[in-house]
Amino acid sequence: MSRQVRHAAQALWLPVVFFGWWWWTSAGSTSIYFPPLAKIVAVTWADLAGGPLPGFIAFSLGNLAAGLALAIVVGISLGMVLGWYPLALRLLDPVLQFFRAMPKVALVPLFIGALGIGALPKIYSIALGCVWPILLNTIDGVRGVEPGQLEMARAYRIPLGLRLRRVILPAAAPQIVAGVRVALAIGVVVMVVSEIYGAQQGVGYYVLNASRAFDVAQTWGGTLLIGLIGYVLSTSFVIAERWFLRWHYLRARVLGLNA
Amino acid sequence: MNAGQNERSADLEVLKPAPRNDESVSEPVGPHALVVQRLGKTYGEGAGAKEVLRGIDLRVDPGQLVCIVGPSGAGKTTLLRCLAGLQTSSTGTISIGGRLITEPPAEIGLVFQDYGRSLLPWMRAIDNVAFPLQGKGVPAGERPRMAQVAMQSVGLGDAAHRYPWQLSGGMQQRVAIARAIAYQAEILLMDEPFASVDAQTRFDLEDLLLGLRRKLGISVVVVTHDIDEAVYLSDSVTVLSGTPASVVETIDVVLDAPREQIATKADPRFAEYRSRIMRRIRRPELAAVSKERP
């Protein structure tokens, strides 16, 4: 128990100090742009408890989940094909590099224009932003499978489907998961940006709307909330990753490797 | 040896290679001989071509243990990879029970030198052993039992649920052997299987291999550079030498069975075989060196 307490203390001391300092120094502030933290919290809490925020958060997270899921399915399947067939990769590589280099949020207005203002264009925008790190990491992961493992699969006549599912996919999994972790961070950004154009709900819309109405405390609150959502998502992801790839991390520790 | 040993060998019956009913082959049903005729292998073409193997003849009868010895770089591994169907030969043929080998055959279980790379680190030991059974279409209900029997037959019944990287090198190689056994291979092909374990573990694994061969009636082909190991294990030693490598001699090894690490190696015949093989390996090499000198 004491170890967990110590770890929690190590992780939390800085946020506690920082917000404590903010709370104390901003108390009684009359600046328009820097309202007291107490007021920010109160306004946000009110919107959370009885206001529109729970619905907005559900809308945003729903879009993120759908977009990320789409990116994972497309990224992994396409990545496995491209990683497996060098010719396909050579043919498509310039296009992949072009799309990877393009700022994904720049596509949001196009998508909204083409697909309208519902949830769908937001989901597509998020998927388009998230797919690249997953795709490229999957290609790398598949190309990096230990040749001895593939040789074993051949020698034991493992059929292609089974080979993909139980040899190549698990071998590439650590890299694929690292790609998904990057994609999640991109997804949060695209999620917010996609709600700034033509939206009537969502956490991004909440911040934009508050700022348009010069409600500075609400703007601050929404921004902090998005930061908190991003933090909770990435922390949960790391925990899920440690569980999902526990063989990988345990093995690295046993063999003294860097995971 | 404990009391449980007999029960285990009785269990092992389920892993004996089943007689195959292959209608395309007119050979009698049952264990098959592995026959290599005039096998040659050349890498590349034209001026840069490198001939590695030339005119290899080899025969492994059912239940026989054959070692292929030769100096490092003599093409032993290339030969084994051809036998396993992982590489195609340039000339000559390989057949099992009269059927030509062009791809990895179902009769062969391969044990690699580098156990660390051929066992899948995301599967527990027993799942590694059961995996080829899934590929073979063995029903899910039967796989764990077959894998467990194979694990017990290599003395790893208690380590079944550990990951390969939690096991010592010798234990990992036992898992690799169990995988080939569970696969019900008629012919075990082993590439320097005991080269990366310590001497005591090597002796244990050699005796384990001889015991499994005896109980299951399988044939075994071991590629090794260790002449003592070759003589100790073999019914027949094939000596490869020269560049390109060819068979310089095939020696039938006649020693008391079962072999025993101390008595067998103290047998004067053991020393005779040993020096005979060593001379056969060395002579072509010396000839090659003297040829290079002006």
Side-chain angles (χ1 to χ4, degrees):
Chain A
M1 187 207 83
S2 66
R3 201 168 126 251
Q4 281 163 331
V5 169
R6 200 168 64 237
H7 283 185
Q10 283 166 351
L12 288 175
W13 74 274
L14 188 56
V16 167
V17 167
F18 174 74
F19 283 101
W21 170 81
W22 188 0
W23 188 282
W24 184 62
T25 51
S26 67
S29 162
T30 52
S31 158
I32 297 174
Y33 295 105
F34 299 99
L37 184 54
K39 190 182 166 199
I40 296 171
V41 170
V43 167
T44 313
W45 184 251
D47 281 345
L48 267 175
L53 267 179
F56 283 2
I57 292 172
F59 176 78
S60 298
L61 290 184
N63 290 347
L64 179 62
L68 191 60
L70 186 61
I72 289 173
V73 170
V74 172
I76 293 179
S77 2
L78 193 58
M80 290 191 67
V81 173
L82 294 182
W84 196 243
Y85 298 104
L87 178 66
L89 182 62
R90 274 203 299 280
L91 292 175
L92 290 185
D93 198 47
V95 181
L96 295 184
Q97 298 301 335
F98 171 75
F99 275 104
R100 187 175 71 126
M102 187 160 58
K104 260 61 74 177
V105 289
L107 290 169
V108 173
L110 269 175
F111 271 70
I112 308 277
L115 297 167
I117 58 172
L120 213 54
K122 297 170 178 57
I123 291 171
Y124 284 141
S125 304
I126 293 167
L128 190 72
C130 291
V131 77
W132 306 104
I134 301 173
L135 175 64
L136 296 171
N137 274 33
T138 305
I139 293 173
D140 271 357
V142 170
R143 280 156 61 96
V145 178
E146 181 63 59
Q149 293 169 357
L150 296 174
E151 194 122 272
M152 182 281 294
R154 260 184 76 204
Y156 282 99
R157 303 160 61 93
I158 308 292
L160 183 64
L162 197 58
R163 213 183 299 183
L164 284 171
R165 204 152 43 78
R166 296 203 62 196
V167 180
I168 297 167
L169 199 56
Q175 262 184 289
I176 295 174
V177 170
V180 176
R181 198 192 318 129
V182 174
L184 179 66
I186 295 174
V188 172
V189 173
V190 179
M191 170 189 88
V192 171
V193 173
S194 73
E195 289 162 0
I196 286 176
Y197 299 92
Q200 271 130 22
Q201 49 181 331
V203 288
Y205 166 79
Y206 178 81
V207 172
L208 183 79
N209 201 41
S211 121
R212 275 197 195 125
F214 293 104
D215 190 334
V216 179
Q218 211 176 33
T219 314
W220 270 109
T223 309
L224 289 177
L225 186 69
I226 290 169
L228 186 68
I229 289 172
Y231 176 77
V232 168
L233 285 177
S234 70
T235 306
S236 325
F237 188 86
V238 169
I239 292 169
E241 176 180 351
R242 291 261 156 191
W243 178 82
F244 181 66
L245 292 176
R246 56 197 181 283
W247 67 267
H248 177 66
Y249 289 104
L250 223 76
R251 171 170 178 263
R253 209 167 65 205
V254 169
L255 303 182
L257 305 170
N258 287 317
Chain B
M1 296 291 132
N2 53 35
Q5 205 71 28
N6 286 331
E7 289 168 40
R8 282 177 193 175
S9 42
D11 281 349
L12 222 51
E13 290 295 318
V14 300
L15 296 183
K16 277 197 176 169
R20 282 164 218 274
N21 252 321
D22 196 337
E23 288 168 14
S24 66
V25 181
S26 52
E27 286 267 308
V29 170
H32 297 133
L34 172 70
V35 179
V36 178
Q37 284 175 315
R38 311 308 300 161
L39 182 101
K41 177 70 187 177
T42 304
Y43 288 108
E45 286 175 10
K50 188 169 184 290
E51 191 180 4
V52 183
L53 299 173
R54 180 185 286 175
I56 307 279
D57 286 320
L58 181 69
R59 184 184 171 88
V60 183
D61 284 314
Q64 214 185 6
L65 200 156
V66 173
C67 278
I68 299 169
V69 291
S72 305
K76 300 189 296 288
T77 296
T78 302
L79 174 57
L80 193 92
R81 288 173 53 84
C82 290
L83 297 183
L86 292 171
Q87 262 179 341
T88 53
S89 57
S90 309
T91 56
T93 59
I94 302 168
S95 60
I96 294 177
R99 186 168 49 84
L100 287 181
I101 298 305
T102 50
E103 56 168 20
E107 291 89 346
I108 281 181
L110 190 55
V111 176
F112 298 81
Q113 172 180 3
D114 204 342
Y115 42 78
R117 291 174 202 275
S118 85
L119 295 175
L120 304 176
W122 50 88
M123 288 186 193
R124 294 170 192 279
I126 192 158
D127 298 324
N128 264 289
V129 172
F131 181 47
L133 299 177
Q134 189 182 0
K136 226 177 156 183
V138 175
E142 287 177 33
R143 282 181 236 143
R145 194 176 54 90
M146 291 171 75
Q148 187 62 38
V149 171
M151 286 293 279
Q152 275 165 3
S153 74
V154 298
L156 282 184
D158 300 332
H161 293 279
R162 294 167 74 182
Y163 285 101
W165 36 267
Q166 291 173 320
L167 305 173
S168 69
M171 289 165 93
Q172 289 183 49
Q173 199 57 301
R174 281 170 194 258
V175 176
I177 294 170
R179 178 168 61 189
I181 297 290
Y183 189 60
Q184 292 175 290
E186 281 180 42
I187 304 164
L188 230 56
L189 289 188
M190 311 178 94
D191 184 11
E192 301 274 6
F194 313 133
S196 11
V197 297
D198 62 85
Q200 185 53 50
T201 307
R202 185 159 70 237
F203 297 152
D204 292 345
L205 289 172
E206 285 167 5
D207 291 333
L208 171 76
L209 178 62
L210 289 174
L212 286 172
R213 192 270 303 251
R214 201 167 51 238
K215 287 176 204 153
L216 294 170
I218 51 177
S219 343
V220 184
V221 180
V222 179
V223 158
T224 179
H225 65 268
D226 185 330
I227 295 167
D228 283 27
E229 180 168 279
V231 176
Y232 181 71
L233 290 175
S234 297
D235 300 317
S236 164
V237 176
T238 297
V239 186
L240 288 191
S241 198
T243 317
S246 52
V247 177
V248 290
E249 195 173 4
T250 299
I251 301 168
D252 288 327
V253 177
V254 183
L255 290 167
D256 297 340
R259 310 271 164 100
E260 199 275 323
Q261 290 287 353
I262 294 166
T264 304
K265 288 178 179 173
D267 191 323
R269 288 173 293 176
F270 185 92
E272 272 169 41
Y273 285 125
R274 192 173 175 279
S275 21
R276 186 168 153 199
I277 293 168
M278 209 172 273
R279 274 196 297 275
R280 292 307 282 155
I281 291 176
R282 281 211 175 152
R283 210 174 283 152
E285 244 183 7
L286 292 173
V289 170
S290 57
K291 222 190 294 174
E292 279 166 23
R293 289 189 187 135

